Amino acid sequence: MARRTTRGIKKSYVEAPIVFDDEDEPIPVTSKDSDDEDFTAPEPAQEEEDDKDEEADMADPTSEEDEAEDDEDDGDADGKKNDASSQPKKHRNTGAGMIQSRKGFHDIPHYPLETRIVTRVYAGPLRRYARYSALRDSMYGPEYNRIKIIWDLEMRWAEFPALPPRYLPHEPQGICPSPWLAPAFERTQEQNAARWYNNYYAKSPEVQQCHLLSSHEGEHLIPQAGGDLVTFIGPWYRQGEFRFAQGQSLPITASGLPTSTSEDQDKSSTGWMLDIGSIPLAMGWVPSLVNAKQVLAIASIPFADQEPRRQEDGADKYQDPSAMAEGCVQLWEFTPKEADKTLARPSTTPARLIRTLCFSWGRPKRLQWCPVPFESVGSYGLLAILTGDGKARIIDVKKVEEGSAPVYEWVQSPVVTLGIDDDYNNKVTCLSWVNINRIALGHSDGSVTLWSIFPRKMLQRVGVHTTYVIDICSAYPSNPYLVASIPVGGCATLTDLSQPSSELTYFPVPAISFQPNMLCWNESMQGFMALYPSSTPNTTIAFLHHRFFCQARSICTGPNTITCISAGATHPFVLAGCADGSLFSCNALQKLFKQKGEPLQKIKVMEHEYRPIRRPELQGKDSSRPVRGAVRILQGFLPEPNDDPRTEKRKELDRKKKLERMKTASGKKKGRPRKNGGTVEDLDREAELDDKLASRVVTHEPLTRLTTIVWNPNMQYSCWAACAMASGIIKVMDLGVQ
């Protein structure tokens, strides 16, 4: 493996032994200093240059991949290597490092008042400049079996840089179940779930109370759009205009046109597009182990809940809590096509609404299915819903008969209601399943709780944060009790609920987060995907391994504010949605183990754009069907480099500086210089990078954004992804390639 340099000093991948200097001389511990026989003095700190590197790297999430490369280029351009002995020795800061005073062993160091000094520094065995084999061995080693697993996974999908393969698990490049679990883990969990379910209902058969509603009553409880949606879909050079009514669904081809009107030779369906007539906030696929129809649960709110309030409108009726007391969750069914040698493909049968769960607990904000299937007991599963009253409720969703009309069900009392009633105004803000009978909740006071569903009991309450918890995610199935949480203001934290008092770590950069759906677990890579924790706004997705949570690695950078993230359950491909309506996909595992000079790619799957219709123009030619807005969806984009524009900009500037130094050293002019100091190609390249950087601060129509994305967790449908747009459009796509 090639050696790398950092700031002119050669470093190898092998961790060197710690050498103590005069200032870091270990303090001897005698029996008089402490009566605790098990007390051990802390090890001395690393060299100051390493600490400086860590501080600089955490301040800039995009410089981690190229710091070593830039130092090598600088050394070659100058014609010599920097000598560490020739540099003056830097004095350490007495406040940010180890204990410096010898007056008493337990003296507390002075807190540094200088803002340039970072007091939260990671000084573990994994370095920021570690790449490929060193990174792989540190994260997944030292056991050979674990290293071999991640090595095989990387080679398995090495030829797919942007989209997952549509191959079966037994094929060399196919998707695969988690290699970190024991064989037949899913079947065992399903059997345990059925046994627990039967025991639970045997002791409390009347626990969930609900009754059916008529079609007229049920449709009235569903948020109404107030008009149709004009959509422009298809290839960019021949898009077609279609009018979507609320509840309408169309199967679409690879070109984006409906299968009934497409002029393509291959009219096979690659997905569906439907209009739910409201803003979708959360989605979830029903877990299943059989090759059956797929069911998607959607939680949505009316458009009026997020309309800007104007003073001329007078009193706002939505300030009244009773106006937002009702909510519903819709279940849509998607029929697959028969496939023997590949994964399941979408069929030309339109998607249909099969069940609507209505309640009076407020608007639904989050939902998540229990990850273990309950098919053997005649149920879709247990659905956890977070509602507007600040409580989390578990609902048992029964299966519907094949081919029956939509069922509208009013839920009076759920299986269980979870929340802290003793604290004043302490609401549940997020949720995540831990296993069959355990669920973790985040609260508005910053605490994280672990609950048992039956019997209902709060098992733990850990004060992880001091502010509102915006997102929480469990590392199910391989590490279910590892729970990552992100607060509105503070540090992203990983807590081991099996030992919460001692096993807790965090990313040492505080950040401010207001956007949910930005944290997910990737089973193949054994880590979390989240927005890069940074004190400044950024558009980069980071990977945080559960063993090195305090050190993030950049995965993908979007052109605008990231609004939602989803990672596959049986593959390492990540989807990122942006506020400008764009959806990107990339191979996160390939990005993590990137080698120097290796070109990586990401692809823009689609781009959504919404335009509202002014009130005088609401009525169209047909007065009975008004229009609420127009939508354009573009697709067919070419792959692009998976790099950050800031990094590309810096590389371009460094390249120009290197050429100028070479010209100065040789004393030769290789061409007549231009007034602006660059060639036409250089100017075009700089203009392109400037446009990419400027796109991050461009604001868009609020209903243009993507609200949530979710990969299908079921094995045969793991290439299916559902993308929700704030305009009310839901697009289910088969993203598998061959």
Side-chain angles (χ1 to χ4, degrees):
M1 181 61 65
R3 296 163 63 90
R4 309 260 179 147
T5 60
T6 301
R7 301 188 185 277
I9 302 176
K10 290 268 185 175
K11 294 185 179 181
S12 63
Y13 283 123
V14 181
E15 192 71 23
I18 300 176
V19 179
F20 305 113
D21 54 11
D22 295 337
E23 296 180 352
D24 283 319
E25 181 179 359
I27 301 175
V29 180
T30 61
S31 59
K32 297 180 181 181
D33 294 334
S34 176
D35 296 333
D36 190 355
E37 297 179 356
D38 298 331
F39 186 83
T40 305
E43 296 183 1
Q46 296 285 345
E47 296 182 0
E48 180 66 15
E49 292 181 355
D50 290 344
D51 295 338
K52 293 290 185 179
D53 293 343
E54 298 294 327
E55 298 168 11
D57 287 334
M58 286 187 291
D60 184 8
T62 62
S63 60
E64 62 181 36
E65 301 178 355
D66 309 290
E67 183 176 296
E69 302 177 12
D70 295 341
D71 295 332
E72 290 181 356
D73 296 340
D74 293 342
D76 296 339
D78 295 338
K80 61 180 180 179
K81 301 179 180 178
N82 297 328
D83 188 5
S85 61
S86 63
Q87 299 179 355
K89 187 174 182 179
K90 299 179 182 179
H91 297 284
R92 295 181 181 271
N93 170 52
T94 58
M98 298 291 296
I99 299 176
Q100 302 294 330
S101 175
R102 292 177 178 272
K103 296 179 181 179
F105 188 81
H106 293 286
D107 288 354
I108 300 176
H110 298 287
Y111 191 86
L113 301 179
E114 191 174 359
T115 58
R116 295 178 300 172
I117 299 175
V118 179
T119 56
R120 297 184 181 95
V121 177
Y122 168 75
L126 181 62
R127 293 301 180 184
R128 299 283 296 182
Y129 53 77
R131 290 293 176 270
Y132 205 64
S133 61
L135 178 65
R136 179 196 62 205
D137 297 346
S138 298
M139 278 191 174
Y140 300 94
E143 297 86 355
Y144 174 76
N145 293 335
R146 297 180 60 87
I147 296 177
K148 186 177 184 303
I149 288 176
I150 197 64
W151 175 274
D152 293 340
L153 292 179
E154 181 193 1
M155 301 302 297
R156 189 181 190 93
W157 298 301
E159 298 181 3
F160 300 90
L163 295 174
R166 192 187 291 115
Y167 295 121
L168 296 174
H170 66 270
E171 300 185 48
Q173 295 179 325
I175 53 97
C176 65
S178 174
W180 311 100
L181 300 174
F185 174 83
E186 291 82 1
R187 290 293 181 185
T188 303
Q189 287 291 96
E190 185 184 21
Q191 295 173 2
N192 296 337
R195 189 181 305 110
W196 172 87
Y197 186 90
N198 294 328
N199 294 337
Y200 173 72
Y201 269 91
K203 297 180 181 179
S204 53
E206 303 293 335
V207 64
Q208 179 170 308
Q209 300 294 330
C210 56
H211 64 270
L212 299 180
L213 300 174
S214 64
S215 300
H216 178 73
E217 294 175 336
E219 292 175 358
H220 179 72
L221 295 174
I222 296 178
Q224 300 300 313
D228 295 347
L229 192 62
V230 178
T231 60
F232 298 90
I233 55 179
W236 63 271
Y237 56 90
R238 55 181 180 93
Q239 284 199 311
E241 178 180 345
F242 300 89
R243 194 161 176 169
F244 270 83
Q246 182 175 356
Q248 182 181 357
S249 171
L250 288 177
I252 56 177
T253 62
S255 63
L257 293 172
T259 55
S260 59
T261 60
S262 176
E263 299 178 358
D264 301 337
Q265 295 181 356
D266 185 9
K267 293 188 177 183
S268 59
S269 175
T270 59
W272 296 269
M273 191 163 62
L274 56 101
D275 179 19
I276 63 172
S278 52
I279 303 177
L281 298 183
M283 296 189 300
W285 291 97
V286 173
S288 173
L289 293 181
V290 298
N291 300 331
K293 297 180 179 180
Q294 299 299 289
V295 177
L296 179 68
I298 305 173
S300 61
I301 61 174
F303 292 107
D305 289 3
Q306 294 189 358
E307 283 183 355
R309 302 182 178 94
R310 299 177 296 180
Q311 295 182 356
E312 55 268 22
D313 293 340
D316 192 352
K317 65 178 180 180
Y318 298 106
Q319 295 289 350
D320 185 8
S322 61
M324 305 175 64
E326 296 177 348
C328 70
V329 173
Q330 304 178 38
L331 273 68
W332 287 77
E333 183 183 72
F334 302 89
T335 304
K337 183 174 62 175
E338 295 292 337
D340 297 333
K341 298 182 179 180
T342 60
L343 298 180
R345 302 286 299 271
S347 67
T348 56
T349 304
R352 69 184 189 98
L353 179 66
I354 59 173
R355 183 185 289 271
T356 301
L357 303 174
C358 307
F359 41 81
S360 60
W361 311 316
R363 306 290 195 222
K365 296 182 177 180
R366 311 280 183 91
L367 64 81
Q368 188 177 9
W369 291 96
C370 177
V372 182
F374 284 83
E375 297 169 324
S376 59
V377 294
S379 173
Y380 286 126
L382 299 180
L383 180 63
I385 304 176
L386 174 62
T387 53
D389 61 352
K391 303 290 184 181
R393 292 173 172 85
I394 311 298
I395 299 177
D396 180 18
V397 184
K398 300 294 184 179
K399 285 187 175 182
V400 298
E401 296 181 1
E402 187 73 21
S404 62
V407 176
Y408 299 93
E409 186 176 7
W410 180 266
V411 183
Q412 296 174 335
S413 62
V415 173
V416 66
T417 301
L418 305 177
I420 301 177
D421 300 327
D422 299 336
D423 293 359
Y424 172 73
N425 201 26
N426 188 0
K427 298 182 178 181
V428 179
T429 57
C430 49
L431 51 87
S432 179
W433 286 92
V434 175
N435 57 27
I436 302 171
N437 195 32
R438 299 287 186 272
I439 189 170
L441 305 178
H443 297 268
S444 57
D445 65 344
S447 62
V448 174
T449 57
L450 179 66
W451 292 79
S452 168
I453 298 175
F454 180 77
R456 180 190 182 276
K457 185 177 182 181
M458 184 174 65
L459 304 177
Q460 292 181 8
R461 184 179 182 184
V462 186
V464 180
H465 305 285
T466 58
T467 59
Y468 187 105
V469 183
I470 193 68
D471 245 332
I472 190 172
C473 182
S474 168
Y476 181 89
S478 57
N479 299 279
Y481 285 97
L482 292 181
V483 176
S485 55
I486 297 178
V488 169
C491 300
T493 305
L494 179 64
T495 307
D496 187 356
L497 294 182
S498 62
Q499 298 179 356
S501 60
S502 59
E503 297 297 331
L504 184 145
T505 184
Y506 60 90
F507 188 83
V509 174
I512 297 177
S513 304
F514 295 105
Q515 182 67 36
N517 301 324
M518 298 289 291
L519 179 65
C520 60
W521 167 259
N522 184 258
E523 180 65 19
S524 301
M525 299 177 63
Q526 292 288 284
F528 297 90
M529 299 291 174
L531 185 67
Y532 204 111
S534 175
S535 56
T536 58
N538 71 91
T539 61
T540 302
I541 298 175
F543 170 72
L544 300 100
H545 194 271
H546 75 278
R547 294 173 60 181
F548 296 92
F549 190 83
C550 49
Q551 187 179 119
R553 301 277 169 160
S554 62
I555 297 299
C556 179
T557 300
N560 203 269
T561 304
I562 304 293
T563 57
C564 48
I565 302 172
S566 179
T570 60
H571 53 73
F573 292 86
V574 176
L575 290 174
C578 303
D580 63 351
S582 58
L583 176 64
F584 284 86
S585 176
C586 71
N587 187 340
L589 186 59
Q590 193 178 63
K591 176 69 173 181
L592 178 63
F593 295 123
K594 173 187 177 182
Q595 301 189 59
K596 180 180 178 181
E598 180 183 5
L600 299 182
Q601 292 180 337
K602 62 183 177 182
I603 189 170
K604 182 188 290 189
V605 178
M606 52 162 282
E607 183 178 277
H608 167 258
E609 184 179 5
Y610 174 82
R611 287 293 182 268
I613 303 296
R614 299 183 182 274
R615 289 188 178 274
E617 303 173 357
L618 275 177
Q619 298 296 333
K621 297 180 181 180
D622 186 0
S623 59
S624 62
R625 296 180 58 189
V627 176
R628 73 175 190 267
V631 163
R632 181 178 67 176
I633 297 179
L634 297 175
Q635 60 186 55
F637 296 91
L638 295 176
E640 55 185 86
N642 187 10
D643 205 346
D644 194 314
R646 291 176 294 178
T647 304
E648 297 179 14
K649 181 75 173 179
R650 185 170 55 83
K651 286 181 179 180
E652 186 69 17
L653 295 176
D654 294 344
R655 186 184 66 83
K656 294 179 66 176
K657 291 180 181 179
K658 181 179 178 180
L659 292 177
E660 291 177 359
R661 289 196 299 265
M662 293 176 61
K663 289 181 180 180
T664 304
S666 61
K668 298 180 181 180
K669 295 183 178 180
K670 298 185 178 181
R672 183 179 178 181
R674 302 175 61 90
K675 294 182 180 180
N676 52 17
T679 62
V680 177
E681 292 77 6
D682 294 339
L683 295 177
D684 293 341
R685 177 60 176 167
E686 291 182 6
E688 180 183 356
L689 295 177
D690 291 339
D691 292 341
K692 290 183 178 180
L693 292 174
S695 67
R696 300 187 305 159
V697 297
V698 176
T699 58
H700 298 267
E701 185 71 28
L703 298 185
T704 295
R705 72 187 187 276
L706 304 185
T707 56
T708 179
I709 314 167
V710 57
W711 283 104
N712 194 321
N714 302 322
M715 181 69 63
Q716 292 292 330
Y717 308 89
S718 55
C719 292
W720 290 17
C723 177
M725 306 155 217
S727 62
I729 293 292
I730 305 292
K731 191 172 183 181
V732 177
M733 302 166 287
D734 182 7
L735 299 179
V737 295
Q738 289 180 333

